[in-house]
Amino acid sequence: MSTANDAPQRRGKAPAGERLADWADGRVGLYALAKANMRKVFPDHWSFLLGEIALYSFIIIILTGVYLTLFFEPSMSEVEYAGSYKPLQGVMMSEAYASALHITFDVRGGLLVRQIHHWAALIFVAGIFIHMLRVFFTGAFRKPREVNWLFGFLLLVLAIFTGLTGYSLPDDLMSGIGVRFMEGAILAVPVVGTYLQMFIFGGEFPGHDIIPRFFVVHILLLPGIMLGLVVAHLILIVYHKHTQYAAPGRSNNVVVGPPLLPVYMAKAGGFFFLVFGVITAIAATVTINPIWALGPYRPDKVSTDAQPDWYLGFSEGLVRMMPGWEWVLPGGYTLNFGLLIPVIVFPLLLVVIGVYPFFEGWVTGDKREHHVAERPRNNPTRTAFGMAWLSEFAVTMLAGGNDVWAVNFNLSINAITWFCRIGFFVVPPIVFIITRRWCLGLQRRDREKVLHGRESGIIKRLPHGEFIEVHEPLPPEKLYQLVSHDQSEPYEVGPEVDENGVRRRISPLERARARISRGYFGENAQIPKPTREEYQELTSGHGHH
């Protein structure tokens, strides 16, 4: 029986939720952590959604992958199919392929979940790729974000190999050809290729271990590493602040945008379900990887139009472009350059873009922190380099589907192959030159806009008979956007001799750095920004209409 003295105690007792929060805060410091980060400001721009698309696709992959793992049997043991898909009943196949058919036709929602998983994987890689392009062309990888760029680059590489192991698991005819292609590339590695092949496959191709090993790598090893990289990537984004585009009130020290809670999180939550819905709609209406139509893998069969997923198309193209050169060394050892050179170029094509931030940092010698993104036109050489790399990627992708292009457009497959072989060396320099000149032209136009204003379309006749078009001055916000970027000075090695007349020792690397720096920031590599004096002279009425 309660008394009147108990009432104040009951009234003063904190709610259960508050008591739980106090308990957690006393042990792990949640309150201080939340206070420091939950109101963190995030800039708002549509291009930042590209990274979120990749993140949400990764979450969808994890969710659907867990469901599929419950029913998949990663075994290469031969069984006779007795499932509900009648065209394959009585056919001998691996347990992996039989369980994939079981998921497709006998598990409730299995086909939909399989297709969501596959489409989300494709969109995940595309999201990382396009997100990295946004970061590259805006210079958002500069100090202090070089390590975060490496995390994103490693995520892209791991996503490619996770996709390779993933679409190989059903052991259908298409995926088996991809594994066979990989085995051939491994065997082309001199000296250790055979040992690597035996180690990975556990014997002669196809062996009995590759699907179980791919399964472990696909669901445990690679996703675990990728999850760690995603968490580290997000932590560094919070720690370094998000980059933002130039606008009045924004600077390296001032970030403008909505807070993480509640505004940004509400938007992010809604966008997650939008991405999930779009991927589900695509999966429900567009068939991908119809393994039932391909049949089980057999080493003596090859299907036509065998193409990998899009993100590995460039590796296929490297092999198709390469002539079948071979050297037979003394002792009967054969070097297969038709596969060896693509195996070398494949990682180099990726590594070049992965280490670029460190190369640019070395060229510029810039030690400052950068939190404001650049417009691509304001760094013409970097933008031209990025477009040249993309053109290289496009040429190899074209070569990877040379048979499909030839059949659908009634072209010669040899002509396409030779075009790609020549284009691999010729197209990137041409694209580099065109892109840089285009960026310089845009810089000149921006300079004219700042100094002379915007063309109004109004024609005015002066007293002496001359017709002119009236220019309107740009608003302050637009002027700030056009002149707020930095323009670095080219690095100079200094005089050849010191103050005592003694010849200085200048290393070849330092001279190379100076030449590259002049290529980036020299007289012909960027258009000088208008000075305050030039602007004031023109806007005061002297020469400004």
Side-chain angles (χ1 to χ4, degrees):
M1 180 175 177
S2 62
T3 64
N5 293 333
D6 296 330
Q9 294 179 4
R10 288 198 302 268
R11 286 195 298 269
K13 193 174 183 179
E18 185 176 338
R19 294 200 308 272
L20 178 62
D22 289 340
W23 181 89
D25 182 56
R27 286 151 182 83
V28 294
L30 286 179
Y31 178 76
L33 183 66
K35 185 178 180 181
N37 294 290
M38 291 299 99
R39 297 293 294 174
K40 197 170 187 68
V41 171
F42 274 79
D44 206 359
H45 192 271
W46 69 265
S47 65
F48 299 153
L49 299 179
L50 297 170
E52 292 189 27
I53 291 174
L55 174 62
Y56 301 152
S57 300
F58 182 67
I59 295 173
I60 295 168
I61 292 169
I62 297 296
L63 295 175
T64 54
V66 169
Y67 182 79
L68 294 174
T69 304
L70 300 176
F71 306 98
F72 184 72
E73 185 64 40
S75 172
M76 298 182 71
S77 300
E78 290 286 316
V79 297
E80 182 179 333
Y81 180 68
S84 59
Y85 186 62
K86 292 184 178 180
L88 289 177
Q89 287 180 354
V91 175
M92 297 299 294
M93 60 185 63
S94 66
E95 284 191 83
Y97 185 67
S99 65
L101 291 177
H102 173 71
I103 294 172
T104 302
F105 295 108
D106 299 312
V107 175
R108 186 178 296 274
L111 176 59
L112 178 62
V113 175
R114 270 195 62 238
Q115 299 218 143
I116 292 174
H117 189 74
H118 202 141
W119 276 112
L122 297 181
I123 294 173
F124 174 57
V125 182
I128 296 177
F129 188 76
I130 300 175
H131 174 62
M132 289 187 67
L133 291 181
R134 198 275 303 175
V135 172
F136 180 87
F137 285 116
T138 60
F141 56 75
R142 293 172 294 172
K143 183 182 178 181
R145 296 176 178 83
E146 301 97 330
V147 174
N148 223 8
W149 168 267
L150 279 184
F151 286 167
F153 171 72
L154 290 175
L155 274 171
L156 176 63
V157 174
L158 291 176
I160 291 174
F161 285 101
T162 306
L164 171 64
T165 56
Y167 80 68
S168 301
L169 288 179
D171 200 27
D172 59 278
L173 187 56
M174 180 79 77
S175 66
I177 295 172
V179 176
R180 183 69 164 182
F181 178 90
M182 184 191 74
E183 190 240 3
I186 294 172
L187 287 174
V189 178
V191 183
V192 298
T194 304
Y195 300 98
L196 284 175
Q197 188 272 341
M198 296 294 286
F199 174 77
I200 293 173
F201 287 85
E204 292 291 342
F205 181 87
H208 298 283
D209 299 329
I210 191 63
I211 296 299
R213 290 178 178 181
F214 271 8
F215 182 72
V216 173
V217 170
H218 181 72
I219 72 164
L220 289 178
L221 180 61
L222 294 181
I225 298 173
M226 292 171 67
L227 186 60
L229 288 173
V230 167
V231 172
H233 187 76
L234 295 177
I235 289 174
L236 285 180
I237 288 177
V238 173
Y239 177 72
H240 291 143
K241 303 189 292 289
H242 206 295
T243 55
Q244 56 186 342
Y245 291 98
R250 301 178 182 179
S251 67
N252 280 330
N253 301 317
V254 179
V255 182
V256 178
L260 180 62
L261 280 178
V263 179
Y264 192 84
M265 287 299 293
K267 290 182 177 180
F271 190 56
F272 168 75
F273 288 107
L274 178 62
V275 172
F276 205 152
V278 170
I279 292 177
T280 302
I282 295 173
T285 55
V286 182
T287 300
I288 188 170
N289 196 23
I291 60 171
W292 58 89
L294 300 170
Y297 177 68
R298 287 183 52 179
D300 59 337
K301 289 186 177 180
V302 176
S303 62
T304 58
D305 287 348
Q307 304 287 336
D309 282 335
W310 74 269
Y311 46 83
L312 280 171
F314 75 101
S315 62
E316 178 94 6
L318 289 171
V319 174
R320 296 193 183 194
M321 283 192 300
M322 186 64 199
W325 294 344
E326 290 183 353
W327 281 2
V328 180
L329 302 179
Y333 189 87
T334 302
L335 281 179
N336 183 357
F337 289 103
L339 282 174
L340 179 59
I341 292 179
V343 166
I344 296 173
V345 175
F346 169 75
L348 287 179
L349 198 59
L350 296 173
V351 169
V352 163
I353 205 72
V355 301
Y356 179 84
F358 302 94
F359 170 76
E360 184 174 304
W362 171 72
V363 170
T364 61
D366 190 358
K367 305 299 182 183
R368 300 170 299 166
E369 289 194 0
H370 297 274
H371 302 291
V372 178
E374 286 186 315
R375 300 172 79 198
R377 67 185 64 179
N378 291 331
N379 198 315
T381 304
R382 179 207 298 147
T383 302
F385 178 84
M387 291 303 299
W389 185 89
L390 279 177
S391 68
E392 193 87 277
F393 184 81
V395 169
T396 55
M397 290 284 285
L398 175 64
N402 57 1
D403 54 340
V404 178
W405 291 103
V407 170
N408 287 280
F409 292 94
N410 197 25
L411 300 172
S412 166
I413 191 171
N414 290 327
I416 297 174
T417 301
W418 273 104
F419 171 81
C420 294
R421 287 173 178 172
I422 298 172
F424 186 82
F425 299 99
V426 174
V427 170
I430 294 175
V431 171
F432 181 92
I433 294 170
I434 292 174
T435 303
R436 194 159 86 152
R437 290 182 64 87
W438 195 343
C439 289
L440 291 173
L442 291 174
Q443 283 189 346
R444 290 189 185 94
R445 191 183 69 172
D446 289 346
R447 177 182 171 87
E448 290 298 315
K449 281 184 178 180
V450 171
L451 294 177
H452 300 286
R454 181 179 65 87
E455 296 177 354
S456 65
I458 301 173
I459 306 300
K460 182 179 179 180
R461 184 177 182 182
L462 300 180
H464 59 276
E466 179 187 0
F467 288 92
I468 63 169
E469 182 180 15
V470 178
H471 285 207
E472 297 177 350
L474 297 178
E477 301 83 18
K478 189 65 176 178
L479 281 173
Y480 183 88
Q481 183 187 33
L482 296 181
V483 300
S484 62
H485 60 281
D486 295 327
Q487 285 193 323
S488 301
E489 295 293 329
Y491 171 76
E492 299 292 343
V493 296
E496 295 287 336
V497 295
D498 59 18
E499 63 275 8
N500 299 318
V502 179
R503 187 175 183 84
R504 295 174 56 234
R505 184 176 181 180
I506 303 174
S507 68
L509 191 61
E510 194 173 0
R511 294 183 186 276
R513 177 185 175 188
R515 285 194 295 269
I516 297 172
S517 182
R518 285 194 295 271
Y520 267 78
F521 310 111
E523 184 177 345
N524 298 319
Q526 58 184 357
I527 305 301
K529 293 192 301 183
T531 62
R532 184 184 298 272
E533 292 73 19
E534 288 176 316
Y535 180 76
Q536 290 176 345
E537 179 183 358
L538 285 170
T539 55
S540 63
H542 302 289
H544 186 79
H545 301 299

